[in-house]
């Protein structure tokens, strides 16, 4: 019996390759007629930042509704052909929505690279007109552009600085609700054409018209820099459990700090509970976690998705994410602090790619810091010829002193209980390959703490604790 079943499922390559007469449109119509909106279509796995990844069950309705709501962010997506680059692996819900659902509902044409790691080259070749990525991707591209600026001739740098002053005036007018006068508009257009355009072309963004960032807080300086270069960058919010998203910055040239307002679609609802947790309901929600009934009951209650994100609503109705509900640090002194807000302040530095704040049960806060490989390497090599690779940066005294100054700047913007008392530069770049980051550059805190435990131990003087343990022991 087994042999018969196996034989029916095996064909030779020659048979498989034979030309066939097949009506694709008829087959598609047939499948559409049979499929039901509430049937399982896909399982998207969460990032695993607060535990093992969970399989979010997505229906046909989840994916289609999520794709539809994305088109409400910028309605021209529905009517105009847009080139987009799918840079995340297809196991990621965003990648699947961009590659499959969005093209069904819009003029989006997805482009793929030969490898996920080579997405930067794919972007340069495809020149996307639509792009959505986590803040870290924009930060890394900005660093590449600034490296080009710093290596330019004295005249080119002078022209760039003049263009930046013009861009600042134009952006200030836009964000203040003022229409720039025609002379200023013409000047900025010339700067965009002759200065910023060629710089954007260095990373393949010279034809980018619709740009969004999501999945982590966007440093205000990074967002402002792209806007000065003429990219109308906006923030939005979504989760694996919620295809498409429920919050988006709708106004042009917005300031960083908020994730916008609830989507303009009556099918979606967003609310904030008394404890600050944001909850959402709408047609794009998942139906539960695969084989995890307890986790499903915790996340889905009475049709609402409990996002686990703490949010504040401003007077203008915009939402600001404060932290993950499960990521509050409680120090031994009884202080409760948000690591995400502190890390965002530290990441304002162009020389710092990522920071991980530590302090649970400790007397004070410390941080592990990943320096930006391009910006810091350029800065350090001009001062220390012995620096040849990333690992050298963590041991360089001049780099440590420079980062010390950058952390001090962040501390000046923080309350006393939130300030970083000590830090260490990581000896390697964070990546999904070493298990401490997700593909969208979210930190896996537990794995990060485990991998760098020895380094973390050097940040704290445990003499008092050891003394007490010795007395008790």
């Amino acid at each position: 019996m087994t042999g018969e079943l196996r034989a029916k499922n095996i064909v030779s390559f020659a048979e498989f390759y034979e030309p066939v007469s097949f009506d694709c449109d008829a087959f598609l119509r047939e499948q559409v007629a049979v499929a039901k909106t509430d049937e399982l279509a896909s399982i998207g796995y969460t990032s695993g930042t607060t535990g093992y990844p969970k399989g979010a069950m997505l229906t046909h309705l989840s994916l289609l509704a999520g794709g539809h709501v994305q088109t409400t962010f910028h309605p021209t997506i529905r009517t105009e052909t847009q080139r987009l680059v799918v840079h995340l692996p297809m196991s990621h819900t965003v990648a699947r929505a961009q590659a499959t659902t969005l093209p069904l509902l819009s003029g989006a044409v997805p482009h793929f690279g030969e490898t996920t790691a080579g997405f930067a080259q794919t972007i340069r070749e495809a020149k996307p007109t639509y792009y959505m990525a986590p803040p870290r991707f924009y930060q890394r591209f900005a660093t590449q552009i600034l490296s080009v600026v710093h290596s330019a001739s004295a005249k080119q740098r002078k022209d760039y600085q003049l263009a930046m002053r013009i861009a600042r005036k134009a952006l200030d007018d836009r964000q203040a609700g003022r229409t720039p006068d025609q002379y200023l508009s013409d000047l900025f257009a010339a700067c965009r054409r002759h200065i910023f355009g060629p710089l954007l072309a260095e990373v393949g963004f010279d034809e980018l018209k619709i740009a969004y960032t999501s999945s982590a807080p966007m440093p205000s300086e990074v967002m402002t820099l792209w806007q000065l270069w003429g990219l109308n960058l906006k923030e939005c919010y979504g989760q694996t459990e919620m295809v498409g998203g429920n919050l988006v910055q709708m106004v042009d040239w917005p300031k960083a700090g908020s994730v916008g307002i609830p989507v303009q679609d009556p099918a979606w609802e967003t609310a904030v509970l008394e404890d600050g947790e944001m909850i959402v309901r709408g047609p794009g929600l998942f139906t539960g976690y695969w084989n995890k009934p307890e986790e499903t009951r915790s996340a889905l209650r009475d049709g609402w998705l409990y996002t686990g994100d703490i949010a504040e609503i401003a007077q203008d109705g915009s939402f600001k994410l404060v932290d993950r509900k499960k990521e509050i640090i409680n120090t031994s002194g009884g202080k409760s602090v948000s690591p995400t807000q502190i890390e965002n302040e530290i990441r304002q530095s162009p020389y710092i790619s990522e920071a991980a704040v530590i302090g649970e049960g400790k007397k004070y806060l410390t941080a592990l810091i990943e320096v930006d490989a391009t910006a810091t390497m350029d800065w350090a090599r001009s001062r220390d010829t012995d620096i040849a690779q990333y690992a050298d940066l963590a041991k360089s005294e001049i780099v440590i002193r420079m980062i010390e100054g950058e952390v001090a700047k962040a501390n000046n913007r923080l309350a006393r209980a939130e300030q970083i008392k000590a830090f260490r530069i990581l000896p390697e770049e964070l990546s999904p390959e070493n298990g401490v980051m997700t593909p969208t550059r979210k930190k896996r805190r537990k794995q990060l703490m485990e991998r760098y435990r020895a380094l973390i131990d050097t940040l704290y003087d445990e003499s008092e604790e050891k003394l007490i343990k010795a007395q008790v022991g």
Side-chain angles (χ1 to χ4, degrees), residues 148-315:
V148 174
V149 172
H150 294 156
S151 62
S153 67
K155 181 184 182 304
Q156 288 172 324
R157 291 196 300 272
K158 187 176 181 180
D159 290 343
Y160 173 80
Q161 293 302 328
L162 175 60
M164 288 293 282
R165 288 196 292 273
I166 294 169
R168 168 58 70 183
K169 180 67 172 69
L171 182 59
D172 286 347
D173 284 349
R174 291 191 189 103
Q175 293 186 335
R178 300 186 297 267
T179 302
D181 62 56
Q182 190 59 50
Y183 179 64
L184 180 60
S185 296
D186 290 344
L187 280 177
F188 178 74
C191 293
R192 181 73 166 77
R193 187 165 55 252
H194 297 294
I195 306 296
F196 302 138
L199 289 174
L200 293 175
E202 292 285 337
V203 296
F205 279 178
D206 47 317
E207 296 184 24
L208 184 56
K209 301 293 189 298
I210 304 171
Y212 291 97
T213 182
S214 185
S215 85
M218 167 60 86
S220 60
E221 291 181 358
V222 176
M223 187 161 178
T224 299
L225 182 58
W226 283 105
Q227 292 173 338
L228 290 172
W229 288 339
L231 188 64
N232 188 13
L233 182 58
K234 302 179 181 182
E235 292 195 61
C236 60
Y237 174 90
Q239 287 187 344
T240 299
E241 297 87 343
M242 173 181 51
V243 186
N246 68 308
L247 299 171
V248 63
Q249 290 181 323
M250 292 297 293
V251 298
D252 287 334
W253 311 103
K255 293 182 179 180
S258 88
V259 281
I261 60 175
V263 293
Q264 305 301 290
D265 188 329
W268 291 79
E269 295 180 75
T270 301
V272 175
L273 301 176
E274 288 186 4
D275 66 356
E277 183 174 6
M278 181 173 66
I279 59 176
V280 182
R281 66 180 174 186
L285 297 189
F286 78 135
T287 58
Y289 295 116
W290 181 256
N291 291 332
K292 292 186 178 293
E294 289 187 15
E295 287 87 342
T296 297
R297 284 191 291 271
S298 176
L300 286 175
R301 301 175 226 169
D302 299 322
W304 290 89
L305 168 65
Y306 283 64
T307 65
D309 280 314
I310 303 299
E312 295 176 350
I313 306 177
Q315 290 184 346

Side-chain angles (χ1 to χ4, degrees), residues 45-58:
Y45 278 81
T46 62
S47 300
T49 56
T50 57
Y52 290 110
K54 299 183 287 289
M57 294 185 288
L58 305 172

Side-chain angles (χ1 to χ4, degrees), residues 103-167:
L104 293 175
L105 305 171
S106 69
V109 178
H111 290 67
F112 301 85
E114 293 183 10
T115 64
T116 302
F119 73 91
Q121 179 62 31
T122 307
I123 289 174
R124 285 192 293 271
E125 293 173 354
K127 291 185 177 293
T129 59
Y130 169 94
Y131 189 63
M132 180 182 289
R136 172 60 185 140
F137 289 77
Y138 286 101
Q139 187 172 18
R140 176 159 287 185
F141 285 136
T143 301
Q144 292 177 17
I145 291 175
L146 290 175
S147 179
V148 174
V149 172
H150 294 156
S151 62
S153 67
K155 181 184 182 304
Q156 288 172 324
R157 291 196 300 272
K158 187 176 181 180
D159 290 343
Y160 173 80
Q161 293 302 328
L162 175 60
M164 288 293 282
R165 288 196 292 273
I166 294 169

Side-chain angles (χ1 to χ4, degrees), residues 10 13 39 69 78 119-120 145 164 180 192 240 270 282-283 291 306 315 342 345 409 424 444 468:
I10 296 176
F13 185 77
E39 288 181 336
V69 83
R78 301 174 187 166
F119 73 91
I145 291 175
M164 288 293 282
R192 181 73 166 77
T240 299
T270 301
N291 291 332
Y306 283 64
Q315 290 184 346
I342 300 169
E345 290 294 340
K409 293 176 186 177
R424 293 289 183 270
R444 289 190 168 108
I468 293 171

